[in-house]
């Protein structure tokens, strides 16, 4: 993914990927950013498989998912995001 350079970025707090081709593999990378608080994934092809990477993320507070390809399978992963 084009976000590979962000893996583990210690100061990254917000990412807007709205209307991009960002997919599940990008979420695996973003999940390694310890301070990521806000993530906008509106109108992207992410699925429940990608959201699973964010489960348990300690800092994530805002997650926007309008217009994505998510189904009911992602709800348990979302419930595991602490904030």
């Amino acid at each position: 993914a084009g976000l590979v350079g962000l893996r583990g970025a210690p100061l990254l707090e917000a990412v807007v990927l709205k209307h991009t081709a960002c997919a599940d593999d990008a979420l695996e990378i973003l999940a390694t950013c310890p301070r990521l608080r806000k993530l906008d994934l509106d109108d992207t092809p992410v699925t429940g498989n990608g959201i699973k990477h964010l489960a348990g993320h300690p800092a994530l507070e805002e997650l926007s998912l309008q217009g994505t390809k998510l189904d009911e399978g992602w709800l348990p992963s979302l419930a595991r995001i602490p904030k």
Side-chain angles (χ1 to χ4, degrees):
L3 301 178
V4 72
L6 295 177
R7 185 176 298 279
L11 302 178
L12 186 67
E13 291 188 7
V15 176
V16 176
L17 295 169
K18 188 175 194 172
H19 301 294
T20 67
C22 169
D24 295 338
D25 57 341
L27 299 186
E28 183 178 3
I29 292 168
L30 292 173
T32 67
C33 301
R35 290 190 182 175
L36 183 64
R37 293 183 310 110
K38 298 179 183 180
L39 182 56
D40 184 340
L41 299 169
D42 291 353
D43 299 307
T44 62
V46 298
T47 69
N49 290 328
I51 296 300
K52 290 176 186 175
H53 296 294
L54 300 174
H57 192 286
L60 193 60
E61 296 174 359
E62 293 181 34
L63 179 61
S64 187
L65 299 166
Q66 293 182 357
T68 59
K69 298 177 185 263
L70 293 171
D71 58 21
E72 298 168 357
W74 65 276
L75 290 172
S77 296
L78 185 63
R80 293 195 342 242
I81 297 174
K83 297 182 181 185

